[in-house]
Amino acid sequence: MKKYDVIIIGGGAGGLTVASGASSLGAKVALIEKEQNLGGDCLHVGCVPSKAFIQAAKELYTARNKATSLGLTVSGETTLKQVNERVKKSIDVIQEHDSDERFTSMGIDLYKGYGRFTSDHTVLIHNEEIYGKRIVIATGSRPFVPPIKGLEEAGYWTNETIFKQEHLPKELLVIGAGPIGLELSHAMARLGSNVTVVERAPTLLSKEDSDISHVASKNLERELTFLLESEVKEVKRENGKKNVMIDVKGTMKQFTFDEILVAVGRTPNSDKLQLERAGVQMDEKGFVPTNDRLQSNVKHIYAIGDINGKYPFTHVAGEEGKTVVQNVVLGIPKKMSYNEIPWIIYTDPEIFHVGITEAEAKNKGIEYSVYKVSLEDVDRFVADHDTSGLVKIITNSKGNMIGAHAIGNGSGDWMQTVIFAMKNKKKIGDLSQMIFPYPNHAAAIQRTADLYWREKLFSGIIPKLTKTYIKWFR
């Protein structure tokens, strides 16, 4: 039986971070991956393909809708085959960075197949059993498919299959209005489908700040049809179409669609690990709970990424991987902090989120201030003729930023300065001290931070004192 310092089950973002980091520090590492290629869902059916897909849709939409204002006419239609061929090219380029050869050249032993625990220190792949002093579970998650009558028989798409399709449906039903559902719905609408989104909740984007979700909802409603407080009850396939019964706010209605995309959440890939043989506990949904050092209840077995049920983001899995390397290889009691975890919803315009919302600040009884600027007041967005959006920064009574939110073209990029400032305990006033090139999209941050100084310097007693000073001494 081969023995390793670290066994990693799962070759996605988190697993690859641990494998490369541990090996570079001198540990003997085994990496187990069930798929043919490394990279995980993010590379093959998640982050990378979806962003390539969304970008293609955005370019088509811009060409069709913006060209007319400049006297041009655009004609022709695209197919999903053409779009997904472009998506595959993006995957292939990045796949080179996650190639088998790259990791085996580091001295990592790579096993292809399902890893199953046989004890708390041993894992079986096919017919080979290996031993690990410490084991990291990084098996990710997969789309959750709700038990809707007739859905399996009628057929459906998920984020794992949409990037393999060739034909654009005229009428598309999307079940679920979470980030994945909204991103793909918006892209499909811009490619040419009539998209109807069914969501059980009464509002969209409930995890976002209310000012942001209000603007986003109004934008999305221009291109998508939403059935809120609604639920799909039954699907029947007839004459190549899908007849769908939907409970719309208590009233049953029938609709006909060409295809159905299911995007109602994720379920952890823990069912084939045989965790009970290792004594690892799961919650009722199959996630592996961890402490702040990312240890399961079995202290030498760690869980990172989607499998631990915390934040289902690739960048979080990578950061958790870095934390685990320090704990597993170096023995440094490193804790994972989620205080400044950002996320972006890649609709158009993008939605940026870091820290808490105003509602959360209010519910926690925090004394807070809000600084908010519309992109209509930022010259670069005016020049771009793209002013839909805003920036909103929430501070505590000392001016420390506890939440920052934005919606606007490229906000996921130009709001990065705020993450750095929050991470380094800078106050909102510090952002105003930066020199931003003019005209620049990030000037939206400067305009927002300037409000802080305007409030401090140009109201209250200070203007009275300076007026007296000028009168007598200047």
Side-chain angles (χ1 to χ4, degrees), residues 69-81:
S69 65
L70 297 172
L72 300 177
T73 301
V74 178
S75 61
E77 295 182 357
T78 189
T79 66
L80 279 188
K81 181 180 180 181

Side-chain angles (χ1 to χ4, degrees), residues 238-443:
E238 297 178 359
N239 300 320
K241 301 285 186 178
K242 297 175 185 182
N243 294 325
V244 184
M245 295 300 297
I246 303 177
D247 181 341
V248 182
K249 297 183 179 180
T251 301
M252 294 299 297
K253 296 183 179 181
Q254 181 172 316
F255 300 81
T256 300
F257 299 97
D258 298 303
E259 294 292 348
I260 298 172
L261 172 65
V262 176
V264 293
R266 310 284 294 177
T267 190
N269 291 326
S270 57
D271 49 320
K272 295 182 179 180
L273 291 172
Q274 297 181 340
L275 291 171
E276 67 280 358
R277 295 189 177 186
V280 175
Q281 295 175 357
M282 295 178 286
D283 66 14
E284 65 279 1
K285 294 182 179 180
F287 294 102
V288 178
T290 61
N291 60 18
D292 53 13
R293 296 178 187 175
L294 299 168
Q295 296 167 302
S296 70
N297 63 297
V298 180
K299 298 306 179 186
H300 63 271
I301 299 179
Y302 297 73
I304 63 174
D306 288 12
I307 194 71
N308 65 26
K310 291 184 169 65
Y311 286 87
F313 305 123
T314 296
H315 51 285
V316 173
E319 192 65 26
E320 289 176 337
K322 294 176 185 177
T323 301
V324 162
V325 168
Q326 295 186 54
N327 283 303
V328 167
V329 180
L330 302 178
I332 298 173
K334 174 73 172 178
K335 296 181 179 181
M336 177 66 193
S337 172
Y338 299 96
N339 291 335
E340 288 93 23
I341 295 295
W343 67 74
I344 302 165
I345 299 176
Y346 293 90
T347 50
D348 185 18
E350 293 176 354
I351 298 168
F352 171 90
H353 179 129
V354 64
I356 64 175
T357 64
E358 183 177 358
E360 288 170 333
K362 188 176 297 182
N363 291 338
K364 292 180 179 180
I366 298 173
E367 184 180 343
Y368 69 91
S369 297
V370 171
Y371 303 94
K372 184 168 57 176
V373 165
S374 168
L375 298 188
E376 293 177 349
D377 298 324
V378 181
D379 291 355
R380 178 56 191 272
F381 287 98
V382 173
D384 291 347
H385 289 259
D386 197 3
T387 57
S388 176
L390 61 94
V391 175
K392 180 176 182 178
I393 296 178
I394 304 161
T395 70
N396 61 17
S397 58
K398 296 181 178 180
N400 296 307
M401 293 176 285
I402 56 176
H405 309 272
I407 178 169
N409 186 20
S411 63
D413 294 321
W414 46 262
M415 284 293 287
Q416 294 298 307
T417 304
V418 179
I419 302 174
F420 181 81
M422 290 177 67
K423 189 75 174 178
N424 289 278
K425 311 303 179 187
K426 300 295 182 181
K427 296 185 178 183
I428 186 172
D430 296 320
L431 291 173
S432 183
Q433 304 305 308
M434 291 179 59
I435 298 176
F436 291 79
Y438 180 87
N440 187 276
H441 295 114

Side-chain angles (χ1 to χ4, degrees), residues 119-164:
S119 74
D120 63 337
H121 278 287
T122 55
V123 178
L124 183 70
I125 313 100
H126 298 303
N127 296 318
E128 184 173 2
E129 191 174 43
I130 58 177
Y131 175 94
K133 290 180 184 177
R134 294 171 182 85
I135 300 174
V136 180
I137 304 169
T139 49
S141 63
R142 62 184 184 274
F144 172 72
V145 180
I148 297 171
K149 184 178 179 181
L151 181 62
E152 287 289 342
E153 294 79 4
Y156 57 88
W157 296 351
T158 68
N159 71 290
E160 293 185 344
T161 59
I162 191 172
F163 306 118
K164 299 175 183 177

Side-chain angles (χ1 to χ4, degrees), residues 64-292:
R64 286 171 177 160
N65 292 275
K66 298 294 180 71
T68 54
S69 65
L70 297 172
L72 300 177
T73 301
V74 178
S75 61
E77 295 182 357
T78 189
T79 66
L80 279 188
K81 181 180 180 181
Q82 292 170 303
V83 173
N84 284 330
E85 283 174 352
R86 174 169 153 164
V87 167
K88 188 177 185 304
K89 289 178 182 178
S90 300
I91 296 172
D92 290 344
V93 171
I94 298 174
Q95 180 67 67
E96 294 180 12
H97 305 307
D98 291 343
S99 66
D100 292 1
E101 292 74 22
R102 180 190 169 204
F103 287 88
T104 55
S105 68
M106 296 179 187
I108 297 167
D109 286 351
L110 182 58
Y111 295 86
K112 293 295 181 71
Y114 282 94
R116 297 175 174 83
F117 283 92
T118 52
S119 74
D120 63 337
H121 278 287
T122 55
V123 178
L124 183 70
I125 313 100
H126 298 303
N127 296 318
E128 184 173 2
E129 191 174 43
I130 58 177
Y131 175 94
K133 290 180 184 177
R134 294 171 182 85
I135 300 174
V136 180
I137 304 169
T139 49
S141 63
R142 62 184 184 274
F144 172 72
V145 180
I148 297 171
K149 184 178 179 181
L151 181 62
E152 287 289 342
E153 294 79 4
Y156 57 88
W157 296 351
T158 68
N159 71 290
E160 293 185 344
T161 59
I162 191 172
F163 306 118
K164 299 175 183 177
Q165 305 304 319
E166 297 187 354
H167 303 291
L168 188 71
K170 183 177 180 181
E171 300 291 337
L172 174 67
L173 171 65
V174 178
I175 306 176
I180 294 174
L182 289 179
E183 288 178 1
L184 293 179
S185 295
H186 204 193
M188 289 296 291
R190 292 189 158 188
L191 290 174
S193 293
N194 296 319
V195 182
T196 300
V197 183
V198 172
E199 170 58 42
R200 296 177 66 178
T203 60
L204 298 176
L205 300 162
S206 60
K207 291 185 178 180
E208 303 307 317
D209 188 272
S210 59
D211 285 324
I212 303 297
S213 61
H214 176 70
V215 174
S217 297
K218 288 181 67 175
N219 287 339
L220 290 168
E221 286 167 359
R222 295 190 186 105
E223 301 179 55
L224 305 171
T225 298
F226 289 99
L227 300 178
L228 301 179
E229 297 181 83
S230 302
E231 186 176 0
V232 176
K233 291 296 186 180
E234 185 177 359
V235 181
K236 289 182 179 179
R237 188 178 184 88
E238 297 178 359
N239 300 320
K241 301 285 186 178
K242 297 175 185 182
N243 294 325
V244 184
M245 295 300 297
I246 303 177
D247 181 341
V248 182
K249 297 183 179 180
T251 301
M252 294 299 297
K253 296 183 179 181
Q254 181 172 316
F255 300 81
T256 300
F257 299 97
D258 298 303
E259 294 292 348
I260 298 172
L261 172 65
V262 176
V264 293
R266 310 284 294 177
T267 190
N269 291 326
S270 57
D271 49 320
K272 295 182 179 180
L273 291 172
Q274 297 181 340
L275 291 171
E276 67 280 358
R277 295 189 177 186
V280 175
Q281 295 175 357
M282 295 178 286
D283 66 14
E284 65 279 1
K285 294 182 179 180
F287 294 102
V288 178
T290 61
N291 60 18
D292 53 13

